[in-house]
Amino acid sequence: MHEIEERKGWIGLLAKAPADRLAALWETAAERPGFTHLRAPEVGGAMVRGRMGGTGAPFNLGEMTVTRCSVRLDSGEVGHGYVQGRDKAKAETAALIDALMQTRAAGAIRDAILTPLKAEMTKAKADRAEKAAATKVDFFTMVRGED
Amino acid sequence: MYVAVKGGEKAIDAAHAWLAEERRGDVNVPELSVEQIREQMTLAVNRVMAEGSLYDPDLAALAIKQSRGDLIEAIFLIRAYRTTLPRFGSTNPVDTEAMQCDRRISATFKDAPGGQILGPTFDYTHRLLDFKLAADGEAPEAPRRETQAGPVPHITDFLNKEGLIQTEADSDETPRDLTREPLELPADRALRLQSLTRGDEGFILGMAYSTQRGYARNHAFVGELRIGTCAVEMDIPELGFAVEIGEIELTECETVNQFAGSKSEPPQFTRGYGLVFGQTERKAISMALVDRALRWKEMGEDNMGAPAQDEEFVLYHADNIQATGFLEHIKLPHYVDFQSELELVRKMRAEAQAQTMPEAAE
């Protein structure tokens, strides 16, 4: 169960990562392993659903673009990438990283790519949250009359 | 009646070439990049994504550039592109409770847990033109305040606890999809919401406004309006579990409306719901009001004969691509059609004249 949670974590991180940052980290971090495509990078859509009233029955909200790719490393591990948008190179990189994370290279990949990516994305979120917090209303009540 | 007519290819080619030149405008003015549109015309991009029904800011920005800023034309381009995409699946419903909120306000509870967060809003501006924007200026910087990420619960939850507001019936039924089957009436609420969220902002706004002015008035308060980002999760068959496939910006509006009650149930507030791609709050509020108006049957309310209560009227006229397609087709050649009308009116006039002539002779 723990392994699945961990894998969900990095696949989701790669899906949301800025493409240019992922490409840059991948470029410097790892030697490209030998691999074959199980599914060549493919652009498609996913129908996003919402819930009525936020909590009720589902309805179809609209689609988003997604690119997917599956690879098998020469050493046998299979990796899948599903990334937001229409970037085929990013989907392939995500699939390769998913595969490599199942090999002995996992620790190195985590240190060189996943950890810095996660830190940058967390920082970006925190920056936005701080700007939002600055617009939070502090109500005060005017006291009238005798004290 | 349509008859194939040949000719006009050269004129059409020249027209398109001129369109391209006009699109570029004065070449002494720097060309707009797609990235500039995406980053600086964000709300136009959001509208194109919402009504184009495809979340992809880069594509929406490209469509705006290609359409010279005609947003309905841009939406048309996105809808056309969308039909070419293979569908990988449907996502799990987004969890808006877990939204990272840029903005979150309630018009019903001042001290809502999580607070009133104004976000990057036009509200409280004086709507005076800012001539500083016309000059190159330094990039502005927003103030910050330290914060602990805490949960921002839905306002309706509080009313729910006391049973003061209707609960939404939870289910995991697969919703009908109007992009996969023709829209047939009566539509269930899932289809209505799908239709409203991609409907024309101006049309939905007008319908919502009509309810405020008294055509099926439903006394809406904005219980909560939130704008921010939500992760999107989808089941991946080859993995055997769900993963996040991205993150989207959404605007959600929940309205709290006047009571419904019956002999068996005490009075309760009722709800309307709006959820739209991007930062699109006018649309989301409008959607919630129209959603509420369209729920009159299930609420056991009277049909006031108001346009916003008329499902057929609202749903069949909300889509600006359908509407503009039918509207604009009348400018295309109807030579043969019109020729027959011309013949007909001449004949009728001749007959009318023939009838009046003998009278004149008497």
Side-chain angles (χ1 to χ4, degrees):
Chain A
M1 229 32 236
H2 181 64
E3 277 167 32
I4 288 183
E5 285 308 310
E6 261 198 297
R7 194 170 177 202
K8 278 174 89 150
W10 72 65
I11 293 177
L13 182 79
L14 294 166
K16 296 180 290 185
D20 51 342
R21 283 301 294 147
L22 177 60
L25 291 168
W26 173 243
E27 199 62 43
T28 54
E31 258 187 48
R32 206 154 290 235
F35 71 96
T36 47
H37 282 135
L38 294 177
R39 177 192 277 137
E42 178 190 16
V43 177
M47 176 54 89
V48 181
R49 292 197 174 136
R51 284 190 185 279
M52 301 172 192
T55 52
F59 68 96
N60 291 306
L61 181 62
E63 285 166 277
M64 62 185 274
T65 49
V66 182
T67 306
R68 66 181 175 186
C69 176
S70 298
V71 297
R72 174 182 282 129
L73 301 185
D74 293 349
S75 49
E77 293 81 4
V78 171
H80 302 289
Y82 271 79
V83 300
Q84 182 168 12
R86 291 162 297 112
D87 189 332
K88 290 184 176 179
K90 185 185 169 192
E92 187 179 272
T93 305
L96 285 170
I97 292 174
D98 179 45
L100 285 169
M101 284 301 291
Q102 302 163 54
T103 68
R104 265 190 282 171
I109 293 281
R110 187 191 310 273
D111 292 347
I113 301 176
L114 300 180
T115 307
L117 261 187
K118 186 163 190 179
E120 288 170 22
M121 287 159 69
T122 308
K123 168 82 167 54
K125 274 202 182 301
D127 283 352
R128 228 175 149 80
E130 284 185 4
K131 289 178 201 173
T135 69
K136 194 164 171 174
V137 180
D138 296 317
F139 288 104
F140 55 87
T141 309
M142 310 282 256
V143 180
R144 303 213 290 180
E146 314 276 305
D147 59 353
Chain B
M1 179 184 179
Y2 304 91
V3 177
V5 184
K6 291 230 170 200
E9 291 94 339
K10 271 172 87 175
I12 291 169
D13 287 346
H16 290 170
W18 194 17
L19 167 66
E21 190 186 292
E22 288 285 301
R23 176 189 294 125
R24 176 61 184 87
D26 182 350
V27 290
N28 294 313
V29 176
E31 187 178 353
L32 263 180
S33 72
V34 170
E35 291 75 20
Q36 284 171 334
I37 296 171
R38 187 192 64 213
E39 295 301 314
Q40 297 172 42
M41 293 284 120
T42 323
L43 302 190
V45 167
N46 287 343
R47 181 169 177 192
V48 170
M49 294 197 299
E51 295 171 34
S53 203
L54 182 68
Y55 196 98
D56 188 317
D58 294 295
L59 281 180
L62 173 63
I64 290 168
K65 177 168 177 170
Q66 186 177 334
S67 66
R68 308 176 65 192
D70 178 342
L71 296 190
I72 291 184
E73 182 72 19
I75 291 160
F76 202 159
L77 294 168
I78 293 298
R79 291 274 186 96
Y81 176 84
R82 191 201 65 79
T83 61
T84 67
L85 289 174
R87 188 176 291 178
F88 295 163
S90 295
T91 72
N92 297 335
V94 286
D95 179 7
T96 53
E97 180 112 359
M99 178 185 285
Q100 179 175 359
C101 295
D102 285 352
R103 171 164 168 81
R104 188 274 198 149
I105 53 169
S106 170
T108 52
F109 291 105
K110 178 167 78 69
D111 297 311
Q116 306 266 0
I117 300 162
L118 301 181
T121 179
F122 292 123
D123 294 353
Y124 319 108
T125 63
H126 294 108
R127 267 70 183 214
L128 298 172
L129 278 174
D130 180 0
F131 291 97
K132 279 189 303 220
L133 287 174
D136 284 341
E138 286 186 11
E141 203 174 319
R144 291 156 184 253
R145 179 157 85 173
E146 269 191 51
T147 177
Q148 304 296 323
V152 187
H154 277 125
I155 300 279
T156 43
D157 289 351
F158 307 120
L159 290 168
N160 247 342
K161 279 176 194 145
E162 280 186 75
L164 292 175
I165 194 164
Q166 286 180 310
T167 46
E168 295 286 355
D170 190 6
S171 95
D172 278 314
E173 200 180 322
T174 303
R176 285 159 71 191
D177 181 356
L178 62 81
T179 68
R180 290 296 154 108
E181 49 178 313
L183 178 60
E184 278 173 18
L185 301 176
D188 56 21
R189 191 171 175 215
L191 270 183
R192 296 198 302 252
L193 290 172
Q194 183 182 12
S195 173
L196 292 175
T197 192
R198 74 211 298 263
D200 183 76
E201 179 175 313
F203 180 83
I204 308 289
L205 169 65
M207 283 290 123
Y209 181 43
S210 75
T211 69
Q212 291 187 295
R213 290 195 62 254
Y215 293 87
R217 189 191 298 279
N218 55 41
H219 303 274
F221 293 100
V222 171
E224 180 169 351
L225 178 74
R226 54 169 70 192
I227 302 175
T229 49
C230 285
V232 182
E233 204 180 62
M234 185 164 76
D235 281 317
I236 307 296
E238 55 268 37
L239 286 169
F241 50 84
V243 296
E244 287 178 7
I245 56 167
E247 195 172 51
I248 58 176
E249 187 182 32
L250 291 169
T251 303
E252 181 185 52
C253 176
E254 289 192 89
T255 55
V256 176
N257 303 67
Q258 244 180 22
F259 324 107
S262 63
K263 283 187 181 128
S264 54
E265 285 186 58
Q268 272 187 319
F269 286 111
T270 59
R271 325 160 48 133
Y273 189 64
L275 185 66
V276 186
F277 281 159
Q279 181 179 337
T280 42
E281 72 181 48
R282 184 185 304 118
K283 170 76 173 284
I285 300 169
S286 303
M287 177 177 168
L289 263 58
V290 178
D291 170 48
R292 177 61 187 80
L294 288 171
R295 300 181 72 192
W296 63 274
K297 263 187 217 161
E298 62 189 271
M299 306 279 180
E301 294 168 344
D302 292 332
N303 181 2
M304 317 293 284
Q309 286 180 309
D310 185 335
E311 178 173 275
E312 179 173 346
F313 185 83
V314 174
L315 301 190
Y316 278 10
H317 301 107
D319 191 288
N320 52 26
I321 300 310
Q322 274 173 15
T324 206
F326 197 65
L327 181 106
E328 293 200 48
H329 102 280
I330 64 172
K331 73 192 171 185
L332 299 174
H334 281 66
Y335 307 137
V336 176
D337 254 356
F338 187 67
Q339 197 64 39
S340 75
E341 301 253 317
L342 206 56
E343 295 288 322
L344 185 62
V345 76
R346 279 186 184 134
K347 195 170 148 223
M348 284 160 67
R349 283 172 63 88
E351 280 169 8
Q353 251 170 352
Q355 269 175 15
T356 52
M357 287 296 270
E359 287 164 27
E362 275 168 24

